[in-house]
Amino acid sequence: DTGVSQDPRHKITKRGQNVTFRCDPISEHNRLYWYRQTLGQGPEFLTYFQNEAQLEKSRLLSDRFSAERPKGSFSTLEIQRTEQGDSAMYLCASSPRTSGRPTTSAAAYEQYFGPGTRLTVT
Amino acid sequence: DQQVKQNSPSLSVQEGRISILNCDYTNSMFDYFLWYKKYPAEGPTFLISISSIKDKNEDGRFTVFLNKSAKHLSLHIVPSQPGDSAVYFCAASEGEAQGGSEKLVFGKGTKLTVNP
């Protein structure tokens, strides 16, 4: 299976602990995105990378959150000093999109999602 | 501030009938619209998309209609099948052409149940 994979699938942690999630995108996809989804809501954008460069960060991404994609392949999302409000599903997506290639095709903006990591902070 | 709104949390239809899922948006910079389907314990999967230069896109049983002046789009599923039962998300992107963001902005979703 060559889809987007995420690890772990589930994480339970105590308030104040640090957690790190990993995402492996589809091979050769340039773009990698992180989203967060809470109960009853749609996915909310956190950040995205073009290869190893972090191009955009949401205001949702507080100082306790950091994301990296050091070699332009897999990415990690770290949450420091977790709070109960961080409990959510963290989704990773990848896309073959590349900047500077204009398109009028909506399908070019398709993002392929992984199964997510469910974080529970107790 | 919800830029993408799906005002119906749930919809129930009979197998074989048409399902119509609606979506409204407020950001006039959105140029690309995508529908995703999500089963429990899985990530969203792409269904169909449309750009703002079109008003209709069809793929098999799925058709998306866009009314740009009303900032409204809808997804039609004909005929509906029990396997279509899932949560459907409407998503929008500004696209990078005019310096916009490529991130997807999602609605809250509509849970579709197709009864046999």
Side-chain angles (χ1 to χ4, degrees):
Chain A
D1 183 79
T2 57
V4 177
S5 62
Q6 292 188 244
D7 184 68
R9 294 290 305 276
H10 303 273
K11 179 70 178 178
I12 300 174
T13 191
K14 292 185 177 179
R15 185 166 52 93
Q17 298 294 305
N18 298 344
V19 293
T20 300
F21 310 140
R22 175 179 170 126
C23 170
D24 287 89
I26 293 172
S27 179
E28 298 181 358
H29 273 193
N30 299 306
R31 294 272 171 100
L32 187 148
Y33 306 79
W34 285 100
Y35 292 83
R36 179 174 72 185
Q37 184 178 17
T38 53
L39 196 63
Q41 304 292 319
E44 294 176 290
F45 171 78
L46 293 178
T47 188
Y48 85 91
F49 294 84
Q50 167 83 24
N51 298 317
E52 63 273 10
Q54 190 171 20
L55 295 189
E56 187 175 350
K57 290 169 61 175
S58 164
R59 289 172 296 175
L60 291 175
L61 215 64
S62 75
D63 291 346
R64 297 185 297 105
F65 288 71
S66 63
E68 294 183 340
R69 194 182 183 197
K71 297 181 180 178
S73 56
F74 72 91
S75 175
T76 57
L77 177 68
E78 181 183 17
I79 310 173
Q80 296 182 329
R81 305 181 303 282
T82 52
E83 301 173 356
Q84 287 188 322
D86 297 331
S87 295
M89 175 73 82
Y90 289 84
L91 294 162
C92 175
S94 69
S95 160
R97 283 279 300 149
T98 301
S99 293
R101 292 189 181 174
T103 178
T104 56
S105 168
Y109 290 87
E110 177 186 349
Q111 296 175 17
Y112 299 77
F113 283 82
T117 294
R118 178 163 295 284
L119 172 66
T120 302
V121 181
T122 61
Chain B
D1 177 28
Q2 277 274 312
Q3 295 186 65
V4 177
K5 300 177 184 178
Q6 293 178 257
N7 292 319
S8 298
S10 63
L11 174 68
S12 183
V13 300
Q14 285 299 120
E15 181 178 4
R17 298 291 192 104
I18 185 171
S19 295
I20 300 176
L21 296 96
N22 293 303
C23 177
D24 297 288
Y25 62 96
T26 57
N27 184 349
S28 58
M29 288 189 64
F30 286 147
D31 272 338
Y32 304 97
F33 304 89
L34 300 88
W35 284 92
Y36 279 81
K37 175 178 171 179
K38 187 179 185 303
Y39 293 116
E42 295 183 11
T45 54
F46 171 76
L47 261 182
I48 192 168
S49 60
I50 190 167
S51 71
S52 61
I53 62 173
K54 295 186 176 181
D55 55 17
K56 177 183 174 180
N57 188 26
E58 194 171 354
D59 184 1
R61 296 185 299 114
F62 302 91
T63 303
V64 56
F65 295 92
L66 174 63
N67 183 334
K68 194 175 179 182
S69 61
K71 293 190 176 69
H72 176 83
L73 61 155
S74 61
L75 174 68
H76 292 211
I77 307 173
V78 182
S80 301
Q81 300 173 353
D84 296 329
S85 297
V87 178
Y88 288 78
F89 290 100
C90 173
S93 175
E94 294 172 352
E96 68 171 0
Q98 297 179 34
S101 172
E102 290 206 8
K103 67 176 183 277
L104 292 179
V105 179
F106 286 83
K108 291 187 178 182
T110 296
K111 183 176 182 180
L112 173 66
T113 303
V114 181
N115 301 303

